[in-house]
Amino acid sequence: MPLEPSAKGTVPFGEYRTWYRITGDIHADRPAVVVVHGGPGSTHDYLLQLTELAEQGWPVVHYDQLGNGGSTHLPNKGAEFWKVDLFAAELANLLSELGIADNYVLFGQSWGGLLAAKHAMTRPAGLRGLVVANSPASYPLWLSEMAVLRAQLPPDVQETLLRHEAAETFESPEYLAAMRVFYDRHVCRILPWPRDFLSSFMEIYNDPTVYYTMNGPNEFHVIGTLKDWSIIDELDAIRTPTLLISGKYDEATPVTMQPYFDRIPNVRWEIFENSSHCPHLEESDRFTEVMVGFLKELAQRDELAQPTALAQPVGESRS
């Protein structure tokens, strides 16, 4: 069960508000782990498992990105408003408003991994470490790999998906049931779905403004403002020690994550053999062990005041 928050509330972001939740003491010596959720257009709920890090002594900050959850909802804003730079500015503002910009670690999951990596490219002095979890380095790569995964679905499921996509009946119960086959394979393999995961899933549908505008109707059809977005050519700018996390059955396949490993100099990659897109839920004990190990490495690095070479990834190589 997630730990109870030690504080929660909102901070101003221009004329809007960003909701946050703190577990532990963010002003203690250890860096706060700031959790950047996926979507775009999801909420923090499905990542509450990370509060376990507070039991190990690392304070944890969750927040809801603008447009969803406890943050300001803006259902009348269009594509010209919902830009990557908006969410990058919101993250930087949150760090400043909470007073942790001089000592923090970023954990970005799915879309949040791209957003966290974009932040790290600016080389902020207070960023101690970066975790990119289940996150493609580009949406064109994501879409090409989606086609690969869809081709592995049962023929009747593929036929159902294609038929409803041609008719644009994305809300049909039959279509949603076919989508569920994909989700159970490549998004969350725990059945029934955990409560926290369901909470975020339902939040998207309660207000789909951000998801529909930036992504599209579902995981298969990124037709929104992100459809051509890639950070591959900018990854060389990251100098922060980085941990990559993915699942063996992840919709963020190794092909979509390989650019992080190829281009970030100080990087390690952990692949969870019994997980898909949510190792923090699917293999929670090992996930916490890996995260705590990485955080301890960062602490040792700071104590020695010199870079620590990180291990090679499980099952992957630079060559």
Side-chain angles (χ1 to χ4, degrees), residues 203-225:
E203 286 278 4
I204 293 176
Y205 287 96
N206 288 338
D207 186 348
T209 304
V210 181
Y211 186 76
Y212 283 3
T213 302
M214 297 185 73
N215 186 88
N218 55 51
E219 305 291 275
F220 301 145
H221 299 282
V222 182
I223 57 176
T225 56

Side-chain angles (χ1 to χ4, degrees), residues 99-243:
I100 57 174
D102 60 345
N103 192 30
Y104 63 101
V105 172
L106 282 186
F107 175 94
Q109 200 274 341
S110 198
W111 137 263
L114 289 98
L115 189 58
K118 181 175 175 63
H119 178 89
M121 291 168 190
T122 66
R123 302 185 186 177
L127 181 60
R128 305 294 177 226
L130 172 67
V131 183
V132 176
N134 323 99
S135 177
S138 91
Y139 281 94
L141 269 183
W142 172 272
L143 282 170
S144 65
E145 286 297 287
M146 278 291 165
V148 172
L149 295 177
R150 275 186 59 149
Q152 298 168 6
L153 294 172
D156 61 322
V157 173
Q158 294 188 53
E159 187 277 330
T160 299
L161 291 171
L162 289 170
R163 175 161 41 84
H164 285 284
E165 287 162 358
E168 297 187 359
T169 48
F170 297 111
E171 301 301 321
S172 162
E174 188 181 33
Y175 184 76
L176 295 175
M179 280 284 297
R180 180 64 190 257
V181 175
F182 177 87
Y183 271 71
D184 289 347
R185 288 187 178 195
H186 299 298
V187 181
C188 183
R189 295 168 69 87
I190 299 174
L191 298 175
W193 283 350
R195 183 185 63 183
D196 292 343
F197 180 80
L198 273 172
S199 294
S200 284
F201 201 82
M202 295 309 299
E203 286 278 4
I204 293 176
Y205 287 96
N206 288 338
D207 186 348
T209 304
V210 181
Y211 186 76
Y212 283 3
T213 302
M214 297 185 73
N215 186 88
N218 55 51
E219 305 291 275
F220 301 145
H221 299 282
V222 182
I223 57 176
T225 56
L226 291 179
K227 64 185 172 79
D228 298 318
W229 190 46
S230 171
I231 60 171
I232 293 174
D233 292 340
E234 304 167 85
L235 290 172
D236 298 23
I238 296 175
R239 292 293 181 268
T240 308
T242 300
L243 171 66

Side-chain angles (χ1 to χ4, degrees), residues 50-125:
L50 273 81
T51 60
E52 288 195 0
L53 297 176
E55 292 185 341
Q56 305 293 329
W58 278 271
V60 179
V61 176
H62 289 84
Y63 76 104
D64 287 336
Q65 293 162 26
L66 193 66
N68 287 87
S71 295
T72 305
H73 288 235
L74 298 159
N76 296 320
K77 294 290 186 180
E80 72 287 346
F81 180 81
W82 300 110
K83 301 290 188 181
V84 173
D85 287 347
L86 172 74
F87 294 99
E90 182 186 31
L91 173 56
N93 179 75
L94 177 74
L95 298 170
S96 176
E97 289 287 337
L98 293 181
I100 57 174
D102 60 345
N103 192 30
Y104 63 101
V105 172
L106 282 186
F107 175 94
Q109 200 274 341
S110 198
W111 137 263
L114 289 98
L115 189 58
K118 181 175 175 63
H119 178 89
M121 291 168 190
T122 66
R123 302 185 186 177

